[in-house]
Amino acid sequence: MDVMGDKATLFETGRFVQPSGQDGAAEVADDAAEELRQRLAAEAGDVEAMSVLGALLLRRGDLDGAEPQLRAATAAGDRAAANNLGVLLHQRGYAEDAAGWWRIAAVAGSAPAAHALGRHHRERGDEPAAEYWLRQSAQQGHTLGAYALADLLEHRGDADADRWMRTAAERGHREAAYRLARALDRRAGADTEDAGTGPEEAEQWYRQAAARGHRRAALQLGAILERRGELKEAGRWYLTSAKDGEARAACALGFLLRDAGDTESAAVWWLRAAQDGDGNAANALGALHAERGEPQTAERWYRAAMDAGDDNGAYNLGLLCAEQGRVAQAEQWYRRAAYAGHREAANALAILLLQGGDTAGAEPWFSKAAEAGSVDAAFNLGILFAGRGEDGVALRWYERAAAAGHTEAALQVGIARLRDGDEADAERYLRCAAGGGSAEAAYRLATVLDARRPPVPAHSLGESAELDKSECEEWYERAATQGHRRAQVRVGMLAAARGDVVEAARWYREAAEAGSRNGAFNLGLLLAREGSEPEAAVWWTRAADAGHGRAALRLALVYARGGELAEGQRWADRAVALGPAEVSERAARLRDALREELSA
C-alpha cells in the first residue's frame, strides 16, 4: 500500500501549505522557517503544531523524527496525526499497528484513514470489512476512497461499481476516468442501444484522463481520432502517450507518419516501440527493411516480433523465405504461426503444400483457416473441391467467401447460378463481383442484361446515332477498360451498330493487339468497308493464324480476286479445316473452283 506516494493523504489534513511557484532555494528557506516555527510551537505543547511537524518530517522521510511528534498529537486526540501515524507505521512494516491507528482516525471521521483501512482489509482478503471502510471514505467525498470502492465492487460484479467509478472520475481521478471510458466502450460494442451515445461519452472521459497524463487514455483517444480521420490531433495524442513510454502509441504514431510519407520518422518511433517489446512495431520495421532490399535486417526484426509474442513475426518470416525461394524454411515458419492460430499463415501453408502436390495435406489447413475467418481460404477450398469435381461442396465454400465480400468467389457463384438457370440470383452475385472490380463478372453481367434488351435499329457505318448507352453497354465498357478482350469486341460492335466507326475501330484494335482473333477479324471488316483492304488483310491474317475460319475465307477471297490463285487456294484449305460448318462449305466450293482454274 503506497500511501506515501499520494500526497493527498497528507495534504488533506488541511494543515499543509501547497508548493508555490517560487524557486527551489526560496522553497527550502520557507520550509526550514515553517519547520522551526512548528517545532517551537510543538515544544510549547501545541497539539496542532505537533501534528503538522510530524507530517512535515514524514513527508521528508524522517520517520524517526516524525514518530514522537505524531504519537504525542495522537495521544491528544488529533485524528490527522492518527492517520499519519498509521502511514508511518505502515512504512516501517508494522501493518497491523498501522491499521489500529487508521481505525482510530477513521472512527473519528478521517476519510483518508477510512480509505487506508479499507485497502488494508482488502489486501488481507476481508472484503466485507474493506467495503465497509471504503464506503465510509467514499461517502465522505474522498476521491481515492470512491475509486477503491468502485474497483472492489467491479471485481465482485456489483452493478453499483459504475456509480462510484463515475463519482471518482468526476472528482478528477484519472484512472477512474480511463476505466469508465473503457467500460462505456465495451458496453457500446455489446449493446446496440448504447451505440449512439456510448462512444461520444467514452471519448470525453478518455480526453479527461489523457489531459491528466494517463498515457493509455491518450493512446485510446488517438485511436478514436484516427478512425474519425482527425489525423493531426490523433498524432498529437499518440506523441504524448509515446513520450510517456507507451510502446503501442509509439507504434501507432509510426504508422501515422508512414501513411503521411515520412518513413524515416516512422522508423524512429517503430524502433523505440520495438525496443520496448512491441511486436507490431518490430514487424513494421521488418517490412520496411524488406522493402528496402535488406532481408537479413528484416529477418532480425521479424524474429524480434516473434520473441515478443507476435505470431505475425513467424508468418512474415515465412513470406520472406518464400520470396527467396527457401520453401522448406517458409513451410516451417508458416507452420509455427498456423499452429499458434494465425489464419493467414494456415492459408499460406495450405497453398505451399498444394503447390508441392500435397492436396491431402493442404485441405485441413485451408479448412482451419476458413473456419477462423479467412475469406481467401474459403475461396481456395472452393477451387480445391471444384478441381476434384465436387461442385456442390465447392459452391458452398464459394458462397461463404462471397458472403464475406470475396469478388472472385461471387463470380464463381454467379456462373454456377447461370449454369443452373437461376438468372435473377446470378445477376445479384455478378453485380457484387463486378462492383468489386472483376472484369469477367462485368462482362457476364453485361451479357445477361444484353439478352433482355429489345432490338436496336441498325445504322449504316458512319451514320450518326445519338442514342443513350444502355446499362449493359456500360458494364461492357467497364470490363473493356480493364482489358477484357471479349468485352472490347462487344463494345466495338455496339459502337459500330450506332454508326460510330472511330470508336468501333479503337476497341477492335485494342482487342486485336491484346490477342483477340474476333477483334482482329472485325477490325479487318471495318477497314475493308472503309476501303483499306490491304490493311484489313493484315488483321485477317493475324485472326486466321489464331484459328479464325471466317478470316481465312476472307483472305482466300482477297487473294482470288487479286489473281493470286495458289495463295487463295491455300487460305481456302485453311478455312475448310477451321470451320465452322457454313464457312467450311463455302471455302470448299471456293477451293474447288480455284483448283479447277489452276489446272485449266
Side-chain angles (χ1 to χ4, degrees):
M1 184 185 297
D2 187 16
V3 178
M4 283 295 293
D6 185 359
K7 292 182 180 178
T9 305
L10 300 177
F11 288 148
E12 285 176 4
T13 60
R15 295 172 182 159
F16 268 91
V17 178
Q18 298 287 349
S20 68
Q22 300 172 21
D23 60 44
E27 287 184 11
V28 170
D30 288 347
D31 287 347
E34 174 65 12
E35 180 182 339
L36 178 60
R37 188 175 68 80
Q38 296 295 344
R39 189 178 295 279
L40 291 173
E43 288 173 354
D46 189 321
V47 173
E48 182 175 336
M50 295 176 193
S51 180
V52 172
L53 178 60
L56 277 169
L57 297 171
L58 178 60
R59 184 176 64 177
R60 189 190 300 162
D62 183 2
L63 304 188
D64 290 336
E67 186 172 352
Q69 300 294 338
L70 293 175
R71 286 189 179 277
T74 299
D78 190 295
R79 71 181 187 188
N83 176 51
N84 288 333
L85 180 57
V87 173
L88 184 148
L89 293 171
H90 187 270
Q91 291 292 311
R92 290 190 183 278
Y94 302 122
E96 294 303 325
D97 290 343
W101 289 110
W102 282 329
R103 181 181 297 276
I104 290 171
V107 169
S110 170
H115 165 245
L117 184 59
R119 290 182 60 184
H120 170 82
H121 284 298
R122 187 175 181 188
E123 287 171 0
R124 278 148 185 76
D126 188 352
E127 290 196 0
E131 181 182 351
Y132 173 80
W133 288 111
L134 291 175
R135 195 174 291 278
Q136 293 294 316
S137 174
Q139 288 173 345
Q140 292 180 63
H142 193 266
T143 302
L144 296 177
Y147 173 71
L149 176 61
D151 185 63
L152 175 64
L153 296 175
E154 186 177 85
H155 173 71
R156 293 212 310 247
D158 192 316
D160 203 31
D162 282 352
R163 179 169 69 90
W164 287 109
M165 194 69 77
R166 185 178 293 274
T167 298
E170 288 170 348
R171 291 173 182 169
H173 196 287
R174 68 182 190 184
E175 183 66 25
Y178 172 73
R179 288 177 62 174
L180 178 59
R182 294 293 287 169
L184 290 167
D185 260 351
R186 286 192 298 270
R187 197 173 304 147
D191 186 352
T192 55
E193 291 182 4
D194 288 342
T197 57
E200 290 79 2
E201 188 181 3
E203 181 182 339
Q204 293 172 7
W205 289 114
Y206 281 134
R207 194 175 288 278
Q208 288 196 31
R212 295 188 179 105
H214 196 291
R215 68 187 192 188
R216 284 174 295 163
L219 168 64
Q220 293 295 331
L221 181 57
I224 289 170
L225 293 166
E226 182 180 2
R227 285 194 298 270
R228 207 158 61 211
E230 298 177 25
L231 304 184
K232 190 172 182 180
E233 188 179 0
R236 287 201 299 269
W237 285 112
Y238 282 148
L239 180 61
T240 298
S241 181
K243 284 181 175 179
D244 285 342
E246 182 60 54
R248 291 175 297 168
C251 180
L253 179 59
F255 282 113
L256 214 58
L257 290 166
R258 181 205 63 182
D259 293 343
D262 190 353
T263 309
E264 295 305 317
S265 297
V268 170
W269 286 104
W270 282 334
L271 178 61
R272 181 167 175 173
Q275 288 173 338
D276 286 339
D278 190 282
N280 196 21
N283 271 316
L285 281 172
L288 183 63
H289 287 288
E291 288 171 6
R292 292 174 176 173
E294 302 168 358
Q296 290 182 334
T297 308
E299 183 169 339
R300 179 167 64 84
W301 282 113
Y302 288 149
R303 287 180 182 274
M306 192 170 57
D307 292 341
D310 192 323
D311 298 330
N312 281 316
Y315 173 58
N316 288 331
L317 277 169
L319 291 174
L320 190 66
C321 291
E323 287 173 3
Q324 297 172 339
R326 296 154 57 194
V327 178
Q329 292 93 330
E331 180 180 340
Q332 169 196 344
W333 293 117
Y334 284 150
R335 281 189 186 276
R336 178 163 179 171
Y339 278 122
H342 195 293
R343 66 188 188 190
E344 298 310 324
N347 182 54
L349 174 59
I351 292 172
L352 206 62
L353 294 170
L354 197 59
Q355 290 171 341
D358 186 3
T359 308
E363 183 182 340
W365 285 111
F366 276 139
S367 296
K368 185 173 182 179
E371 293 299 339
S374 171
V375 180
D376 288 334
F379 176 66
N380 289 335
L381 274 173
I383 295 174
L384 190 68
F385 283 107
R388 294 177 183 171
E390 300 179 44
D391 293 338
V393 181
L395 182 58
R396 287 198 295 274
W397 283 111
Y398 285 145
E399 287 173 339
R400 181 166 176 174
H406 196 286
T407 298
E408 291 304 312
L411 170 62
Q412 293 302 320
V413 178
I415 292 171
R417 294 288 191 271
L418 282 177
R419 195 166 51 240
D420 295 339
D422 187 352
E423 191 176 289
D425 209 27
E427 181 183 340
R428 180 169 65 86
Y429 278 102
L430 290 174
R431 284 188 183 277
C432 290
S438 169
E440 181 65 23
Y443 172 73
R444 288 178 180 268
L445 174 61
T447 61
V448 169
L449 298 172
D450 203 0
R452 300 177 191 160
R453 240 180 10 142
V456 179
H459 297 271
S460 299
L461 287 174
E463 180 185 342
S464 176
E466 297 296 331
L467 294 176
D468 292 335
K469 290 181 181 178
S470 63
E471 186 187 4
C472 78
E473 189 168 356
E474 290 174 357
W475 284 112
Y476 278 134
E477 286 192 359
R478 182 178 294 195
T481 54
Q482 292 177 259
H484 195 286
R485 292 182 300 181
R486 285 176 295 167
Q488 288 168 343
V489 173
R490 187 62 183 143
V491 172
M493 293 171 66
L494 291 169
R498 290 197 309 271
D500 191 343
V501 179
V502 175
E503 184 74 357
R506 180 173 76 85
W507 284 114
Y508 287 150
R509 189 179 298 276
E510 193 163 333
E513 289 176 347
S516 168
R517 62 189 188 185
N518 286 329
F521 175 70
N522 287 359
L523 180 58
L525 288 178
L526 203 63
L527 291 167
R529 289 170 186 167
E530 292 293 298
S532 302
E533 193 170 79
E535 187 181 354
V538 173
W539 289 107
W540 283 334
T541 301
R542 182 181 291 194
D545 287 340
H548 198 288
R550 284 188 173 84
L553 178 57
R554 287 276 177 174
L555 285 169
L557 290 167
V558 168
Y559 285 111
R561 285 196 302 268
E564 299 180 47
L565 304 185
E567 189 68 9
Q569 184 182 340
R570 185 176 73 83
W571 282 111
D573 280 335
R574 185 74 187 277
V576 169
L578 291 174
E582 178 195 349
V583 170
S584 296
E585 184 180 342
R586 292 177 58 196
R589 289 198 301 268
L590 177 61
R591 178 192 60 189
D592 293 343
L594 290 172
R595 186 176 296 154
E596 289 177 10
E597 186 70 24
L598 285 168
S599 62

